[in-house]
Amino acid sequence: MEKYNDLHEKAVEKEKYLEEKTVIRIGTATCGISAGALDVKAAFEKELSANSIDAVVDEVGCIGHCYAEPLVMISRPGFPSLCYGNVDEGLVERLVKDYLLDDDPCYEYALAAVDPNDIFPTFDDFPRGVIEHKIILEQCGFIAPDNIDQYISKNGYSALAKALDMSPEQVLEEVKESNLRGRGGAGFPAGTKWEAATRNKENIRYVICNGDEGDPGAFMDRSILESDPHQVIEGLIICAYAVSATKGYFYIRAEYPLAIRRVRHALEQAREKGLLGENILGSKFSFDIEVFQGSGAFVCGESSALVESMEGKTGIPQARPPRLAESGFHGKPTVLNNVKTLAYVPHIISKGAEWFKNTGTPGSPGTAIFSLVGKVENSGLVEVPMGTTLRELIFEVGGGVPNEKSFKAVQIGGPSGGCLPESKLDIPIDFDSLSEAGAIMGSGGLVVLDEDDCMVSIARYFLQFTQEESCGKCTFCRLGTKHMLDILTDICEGRGDKESLQVLQDLSEDVKAGSLCNLGATAPNPVLTTLRYFRHEYDIHIEEKRCPSLFCPELIVYYIEPKKCSKLCNVCVGSCPTEAIYTRDDGLKAIEQEKCVKCDNCLKTCPPDYHAVIKLSPPEELSKKEAG
């Protein structure tokens, strides 16, 4: 503890000078960079230099409000720290001139204040602020991920120092007592998994952080690794100490280059501070971590497939038992935990198991992290207590469905999760309640769907993903999902029949029961839940050859209503990529159906005053319209 206290004092002293400086923090996680954050950073540096302003510009991670990226926080002595959203080069120039030079904080452009004050509302004053409860996202976006001193000055690595003063058995017991359940999807108690690894008397043991997040629409693990990598590293070191591991690994997919770079940099910094390597913080415990770059196969998120790929083999799931805790990487006892699971560990050691259990539900204590995407007003990363309802999450935290559309369903749990209707929005979010409703917690991907989404097509989309990602080892998964996908494609294209629905139901049950790993065992979930809650949409596709949501391309046509069309407007003509829209002899517009690729451009660009472009289903409706 003495060595840690020295590190902490130096870090606090090093960061203290920031209190007297103007600090500009720019969110440069992947979400921020994709929205132009690096251009914003360059613009700030240019304007600061041009105006000879002494200020610190820091790159930080994601604070979760991804809908408003690029985000910039400005802290000045004597002013409340303010966060500005949707910042561009023009606003940078304005902020530098009006705020940094003339002391006008430009409140009209501010999204929220960072800390409580008497002038401007904070993020806690947002409707979502009442529900959100940040534990592992607390420092994301507020500290620089490349600066270990900022993490240490916020008491980072104090949990490791505390753990090293405890026995490994005491650390293990604390994690077991907290009932921390794995956030990778299965919800298996982390402490129980750790304890299993200690039963094996091998001298060599491994711990691995699973950062192979591959779910469509999911970015929780990536954001945490990009925004606060030391938190996860600290959790992994504590895990290694508890199970007496000798070596650790981060398994991160190649599609996450920024996360890989920031974790590698963070590991170098931790070694320099004596937090990794020989005799950590002067203790007898020695341990180090490497980064293993995965090649992006979704199935490698499965534990045994992940280990196979680390050993240089093809990433294919293996039959269990033995489980990894008994015989894992190179045949040695191995603990594999998700990014989020490990991020909770320092907080549990610092504040205790009872503190952790005070949040959430008795069966699922703590919080849950979701990437909230799809048809939702405020997309982004959120952390809420377990037990929060889906309705609160979507409508209070996410701001509800935009454009006055009605909510139809929420797809939760990634591609292997389930689609739940509005009648299920009041169930609490926890491992057991979601399972009873036919869905799964998964890793935390959550996609909101509105009235324009076809549930048959949604089921086909997710099944296509898992079918293409299947390693092909077991017959149920390889052939079963292919047959299911063919049936769904036939239904979406107007070739479905009643008998095929029963085959689809039976196949789903068989694939679920007979697959070797969870990729196959959960792949039918989108199909089963849409059959359970949206059966009428399947029936309409089959019986009427019609898509009620006007979504399936083969079952719709686009039509321009002459009564609404204007002779003076040519917007749709210019927007059509295939020149399918032409001007009739009377000056109105029409669509040459053979050329139409149903790209939606004409519908989106038709001026609101006209609303002349509509979709018809089934396609036979077109002749009725044209006949008047």
Side-chain angles (χ1 to χ4, degrees), residues 127-128 131-133 368-373 376-385 387-401 407 410-412 425-429 434 441 444-448:
R128 64 188 284 176
I131 298 171
E132 276 192 296
H133 180 76
I369 315 292
F370 291 98
S371 53
L372 194 56
V373 298
V376 63
E377 195 71 52
N378 301 325
S379 59
L381 198 65
V382 301
E383 181 173 8
V384 296
T388 301
T389 66
L390 284 167
R391 190 183 300 280
E392 290 171 321
L393 183 60
I394 295 167
F395 289 91
E396 299 298 324
V397 178
V401 180
F407 172 88
V410 57
Q411 208 277 346
I412 184 168
L425 285 183
D426 292 314
I427 63 172
I429 299 171
L434 288 173
M441 177 76 79
L446 196 147
V447 184
V448 179

Side-chain angles (χ1 to χ4, degrees), residues 184-185 210-218 220-221 251 253-256 294-307 309 315-317 411 413-417 440 442-445 461-472 477 517-524 526:
N210 185 352
D212 193 56
E213 179 182 59
D215 303 13
M220 303 76 61
D221 295 353
Y251 188 102
R253 58 176 39 225
E255 288 93 332
Y256 288 180
S295 54
F298 181 68
V299 74
C300 285
E302 197 276 339
S303 58
S304 61
L306 183 150
V307 166
S309 70
I316 292 179
Q411 208 277 346
S416 301
I440 58 173
S443 59
Y461 170 78
F462 284 111
L463 187 68
Q464 183 171 7
F465 176 84
T466 49
Q467 200 275 325
E468 289 175 351
E469 291 292 336
S470 170
C471 73
C477 183
C517 77
N518 271 338
L519 185 145
T522 57

Side-chain angles (χ1 to χ4, degrees), residues 66-322:
C66 306
Y67 61 91
E69 293 284 3
L71 286 160
V72 171
M73 276 182 266
I74 300 181
S75 302
R76 287 189 68 193
F79 293 88
S81 293
L82 293 169
C83 180
Y84 301 87
N86 300 307
V87 179
D88 57 18
E89 287 91 335
L91 182 54
V92 169
E93 191 176 341
R94 179 80 181 270
L95 289 170
V96 170
K97 179 179 178 300
D98 290 1
Y99 188 13
L100 303 189
L101 289 176
D102 296 337
D103 294 340
D104 172 8
C106 302
Y107 289 121
E108 65 271 30
Y109 296 110
L111 189 64
V114 177
D115 302 310
N117 65 90
D118 297 328
I119 303 172
F120 204 77
T122 68
F123 285 116
D124 287 343
D125 296 316
F126 283 31
R128 64 188 284 176
V130 178
I131 298 171
E132 276 192 296
H133 180 76
K134 292 188 177 183
I135 296 176
I136 61 175
L137 296 185
E138 186 178 10
Q139 299 298 336
C140 292
F142 297 96
I143 60 174
D146 285 340
N147 186 337
I148 190 172
D149 287 319
Q150 289 192 11
Y151 181 72
I152 293 175
S153 69
K154 304 286 185 187
N155 296 320
Y157 287 108
S158 63
L160 173 62
K162 181 180 178 181
L164 293 175
D165 279 346
M166 301 162 65
S167 69
E169 292 78 13
Q170 287 173 318
V171 175
L172 177 55
E173 195 55 39
E174 194 72 39
V175 175
K176 275 181 66 182
E177 180 60 29
S178 72
N179 193 22
L180 170 64
R181 297 176 67 171
R183 269 28 178 198
F188 190 79
T192 303
K193 185 185 285 187
W194 293 14
E195 187 176 47
T198 64
R199 293 198 193 101
N200 191 316
K201 299 305 175 188
E202 280 274 3
N203 291 327
I204 297 175
R205 293 174 187 152
Y206 297 106
V207 289
I208 302 171
C209 174
N210 185 352
D212 193 56
E213 179 182 59
D215 303 13
F219 48 87
M220 303 76 61
D221 295 353
R222 186 198 71 209
S223 294
I224 292 170
L225 293 174
E226 290 176 349
S227 305
D228 195 358
H230 286 288
Q231 180 182 214
V232 190
I233 292 170
E234 186 177 6
L236 190 58
I237 300 172
I238 294 171
C239 171
Y241 177 70
V243 304
S244 301
T246 47
K247 188 72 182 288
Y249 294 90
F250 274 89
Y251 188 102
I252 307 173
R253 58 176 39 225
E255 288 93 332
Y256 288 180
L258 182 61
I260 291 171
R261 182 176 67 75
R262 287 185 173 170
V263 169
R264 281 182 170 152
H265 185 69
L267 291 173
E268 289 173 13
Q269 291 182 321
R271 286 188 198 99
E272 291 169 3
K273 299 279 186 186
L275 297 161
L276 275 176
E278 296 295 320
N279 305 113
I280 292 174
L281 289 174
S283 71
K284 294 180 181 177
F285 179 57
S286 299
F287 174 74
D288 209 342
I289 302 172
E290 286 182 28
V291 174
F292 185 94
Q293 185 173 304
S295 54
F298 181 68
V299 74
C300 285
E302 197 276 339
S303 58
S304 61
L306 183 150
V307 166
E308 288 283 303
S309 70
M310 285 183 65
E311 292 175 346
K313 306 169 191 170
T314 304
I316 292 179
Q318 302 299 304
R320 293 176 288 178

Side-chain angles (χ1 to χ4, degrees), residues 25-34 36-38 41 58-62 69 71 141 145-146 226-227 258 261-262:
R25 295 181 174 89
I26 302 171
T28 58
T30 296
C31 53
I33 290 173
S34 62
L38 294 181
K41 178 173 178 272
D58 247 352
E59 288 191 31
V60 294
C62 171
E69 293 284 3
L71 286 160
D146 285 340
E226 290 176 349
S227 305
L258 182 61
R261 182 176 67 75
R262 287 185 173 170

